[in-house]
Amino acid sequence: MSWPPDPVRQALDRRTLLRLAASAAAPCALPRWAWASSGWRHDPFALGVASGDPAPDGVVLWTRLMPPEPGAASVPATVRWELAHDDRFRRIVRQGTATALPELGHSVHVELRGLEPGRWYFYRFLHGDAASATGRTRTAPAPDDRAPRLRLAFASCQRWEHGHYAAWADVCRHAPDLVLFLGDYIYEYASPADASGLARVHALRHARTLADFRDRYALHRSDPALQSAHAAAPWAVTWDDHEVENDYAGTTGRETDPAAFAALRDAAYQAYYEHMPLRAAALQAAGGFGGLQLYRRLAWGRLARLHLLDARQFRTRQACRVTGAGADAVRPDACAELADPSRSFLGMRQERWLDAGLAEDADRGGDAGAAPRWSVIAQQTLFSPRRTPSGRQGTDSWDGYPAARDRLLATIADRSPRNTVLLGGDIHQNYVCEVRAPGPDGAVLASEFCGTSISSRAGTTQERVDAIARLNPHVLLARSDLRGWGLAEVTPQRWTTVLRTVDDPLRPDSGCSTLARFVVEDGRPGPSRD
């Protein structure tokens, strides 16, 4: 699945990037690649298909062509696409062509508009005699639609070696309307020399260059269960740290040379865009691969509005972090920087954006009937505080940014959306929490569901997690030893979260079961067991 490496950094300026992103989704008349002639055996669609960011009138369709030979890697290609009401494509709704450009890794992002709201479609890509797998996608309900239901899957953290992706097969069986991926789609590491206890290994080196990151995404997207999940429903994605480097924060990484880390981050950001069903606006808003605009809102009629956050790109460096090292837990009395009110987990601009969005959720300009029933804050990690027996405090999660967390709590309290639910991942553990205002008797403001990993190991024991739960009465459930995903069944009357777990992560055909069910009733903040 490797191909000849590209330069570490494509020499692309802002104007070139925007031109490439626009042309990749526009009709074109470029010749087909020579290897697309009849009788060929290479599958250009080996990485599958995906769709994302559904709007009431459209959606993004994605694929990436895999060149069969060294010479083809630098040649543009024409890809045809079809959208239909049926999976046999007898009732085609829209069709066209797009350009797969080598400068963008031969990825294709087709942005469809003018579709009917609130309905399912089928799509596929064609190149020469080859046809991709058929994907299924849908548009969001119309803005004023009082949608009766949203079936939402949320997941994160899928290290290749630590487990097979049986959780994704389970996601497909539950037929979600939308999949939220909350970070750590890939891991940048090479496989350990000792493969004991691992599900599988790979031969890729630690990712440093654009070619390395492209290889890593190709590895993950070769998994059939993950491909099926992408083809089953539209996704909305954001990232965490391993898409770049463990524990990076804004412009701070483990590199002591800022320019070297900037080159690494740019390469990782480009590969992320190339492999995700994102709109070109992600480039246009941020000015190229020096940054991507990932925080955004998605509405599901009047039922729900999702505020999808980016907690890596703009955050302040972790408190008391040593140059050239990662983040570590600290004692608050030994790290005055931890309490600095100027430090931000999201960046001040994103904080203001979220504050404005939650204010809109509360009244929508004074029209209470137009406000969403559920305000969903989809972000990377556990939001609720965790006191520990040791007294040490993690610095890479919201615990490391207590002033920023208090500001968001104040926003939720002051703006008063009708129902606020926070979703997270990152920690490879299942947590269900009451989100409370600061202080020992703080009122319950919202509900939190932090999901475990698709495959990544927890890194702690259940005994330690139990000790943390005993010190934190707002924690209603805490489990560290299981992999899986979360399913949210959302109706106007209630939110139901079902925590699904994998029976055996070392088996690709493992079954899955329900760990717990929690409900949030409309107008009553805080989850309770069902």
Side-chain angles (χ1 to χ4, degrees):
M1 77 187 50
S2 274
W3 51 88
D6 292 357
V8 173
R9 179 74 173 92
Q10 299 286 351
L12 302 175
D13 60 19
R14 173 177 168 80
R15 181 177 299 176
T16 303
L17 286 169
L18 300 186
R19 176 183 61 79
L20 294 175
S23 65
C28 61
L30 292 174
R32 297 185 318 190
W33 276 345
W35 48 265
S37 59
S38 61
W40 63 311
R41 296 182 180 179
H42 174 76
D43 178 10
F45 300 111
L47 302 187
V49 300
S51 67
D53 279 16
D57 67 340
V59 71
V60 181
L61 306 182
W62 173 94
T63 194
R64 181 185 170 207
L65 297 183
M66 296 295 289
E69 56 193 25
S74 61
V75 181
T78 299
V79 180
R80 291 172 286 141
W81 56 267
E82 295 177 341
L83 185 81
H85 286 313
D86 65 302
D87 60 359
R88 296 190 177 186
F89 294 88
R90 292 172 177 169
R91 294 183 292 148
I92 292 179
V93 178
R94 300 276 294 278
Q95 57 187 328
T97 56
T99 307
L101 293 166
E103 294 89 347
L104 294 174
H106 295 106
S107 62
V108 175
H109 300 74
V110 177
E111 296 187 30
L112 297 180
R113 297 181 177 87
L115 303 181
E116 297 178 49
R119 73 166 300 157
W120 287 95
Y121 294 92
F122 296 90
Y123 66 95
R124 67 181 177 184
F125 294 91
L126 304 139
H127 182 71
D129 298 333
S132 72
T134 296
R136 186 170 178 255
T137 192
R138 63 162 299 159
T139 53
D144 293 331
D145 189 342
R146 298 182 184 277
R149 191 190 78 161
L150 168 61
R151 197 173 178 83
L152 180 68
F154 59 96
S156 64
C157 304
Q158 49 185 19
R159 185 164 177 177
W160 181 264
E161 303 97 318
H162 286 183
H164 290 285
Y165 293 165
W168 285 124
D170 195 50
V171 169
C172 293
R173 287 190 287 268
H174 285 78
D177 295 304
L178 180 67
V179 176
L180 282 179
F181 195 83
L182 301 176
D184 292 344
Y185 190 96
I186 62 167
Y187 281 69
E188 75 277 26
Y189 306 126
S191 285
D194 182 1
S196 302
L198 299 179
R200 48 191 174 179
V201 295
H202 61 77
L204 301 177
R205 67 177 188 172
H206 191 112
R208 303 289 300 175
T209 69
L210 178 56
D212 293 339
F213 284 108
R214 284 174 172 171
D215 282 345
R216 197 60 54 96
Y217 282 101
L219 172 73
H220 284 67
R221 282 190 170 271
S222 70
D223 186 273
L226 179 56
Q227 287 194 11
S228 295
H230 271 296
W235 286 39
V237 301
T238 189
W239 53 26
D240 196 22
D241 53 343
H242 288 289
E243 288 88 353
V244 179
E245 180 183 80
N246 184 41
D247 289 348
Y248 93 93
T251 58
T252 299
R254 293 173 186 266
E255 291 279 359
T256 55
D257 177 6
F261 178 69
L264 168 67
R265 196 182 82 153
D266 287 0
Y269 281 13
Q270 176 168 346
Y272 186 85
Y273 174 78
E274 289 174 352
H275 291 85
M276 296 295 149
L278 292 168
R279 299 180 185 276
L283 290 175
Q284 294 169 354
F289 296 122
L292 290 179
Q293 181 68 45
L294 288 190
Y295 66 85
R296 59 204 189 277
R297 301 189 227 280
L298 299 174
W300 205 261
R302 294 188 181 183
L303 178 62
R305 194 156 74 133
L306 283 65
H307 306 267
L308 195 58
L309 305 187
D310 174 355
R312 281 292 163 186
Q313 188 174 185
F314 309 109
R315 69 157 71 180
T316 307
R317 187 195 67 180
Q318 294 92 344
C320 299
R321 178 170 178 172
V322 177
T323 300
D328 200 1
V330 299
R331 293 191 64 88
D333 57 1
C335 180
E337 185 184 1
L338 195 70
D340 184 347
S342 69
R343 300 177 65 253
S344 177
F345 195 63
L346 303 175
M348 291 302 182
R349 182 176 179 179
Q350 189 177 185
E351 283 193 26
R352 291 191 294 270
W353 172 88
L354 181 57
D355 178 84
L358 293 176
E360 292 173 1
D361 285 359
D363 57 27
R364 291 291 182 93
D367 181 3
R373 187 64 56 95
W374 302 91
S375 296
V376 185
I377 301 175
Q379 46 90 52
Q380 281 69 37
T381 190
L382 182 68
F383 177 77
S384 298
R386 283 188 295 180
R387 294 172 55 214
T388 65
S390 69
R392 295 175 68 83
Q393 196 162 312
T395 59
D396 191 55
S397 68
W398 283 95
D399 276 342
Y401 301 78
R405 179 167 55 203
D406 286 351
R407 287 194 295 271
L408 181 48
L409 288 170
T411 287
I412 295 171
D414 294 343
R415 301 308 190 186
S416 298
R418 179 162 176 160
N419 301 290
T420 303
V421 176
L422 290 97
L423 300 177
D426 175 53
I427 59 174
H428 311 169
Q429 302 164 50
N430 276 309
Y431 269 77
V432 178
C433 303
E434 295 175 331
V435 177
R436 291 180 170 270
D441 300 315
V444 179
L445 302 176
S447 306
E448 178 174 24
F449 301 99
C450 185
T452 188
S453 62
I454 287 287
S455 61
S456 306
R457 290 173 176 168
T460 189
T461 65
Q462 187 60 43
E463 182 180 13
R464 292 176 179 173
V465 170
D466 288 342
I468 291 172
R470 286 193 292 269
L471 289 174
N472 296 272
H474 57 274
V475 174
L476 307 184
L477 178 143
R479 285 293 299 269
S480 74
D481 55 346
L482 299 168
R483 318 312 151 78
W485 63 285
L487 174 66
E489 293 272 10
V490 187
T491 70
Q493 295 76 34
R494 62 165 42 187
W495 173 297
T496 303
T497 291
V498 181
L499 300 176
R500 299 284 295 171
T501 57
V502 176
D503 297 337
D504 184 354
L506 300 185
R507 288 179 46 197
D509 61 347
S510 173
C512 295
S513 56
T514 294
L515 170 66
R517 292 169 58 95
F518 283 83
V519 299
V520 183
E521 302 290 348
D522 174 36
R524 297 177 58 188
S528 59
R529 279 190 180 267
D530 189 12

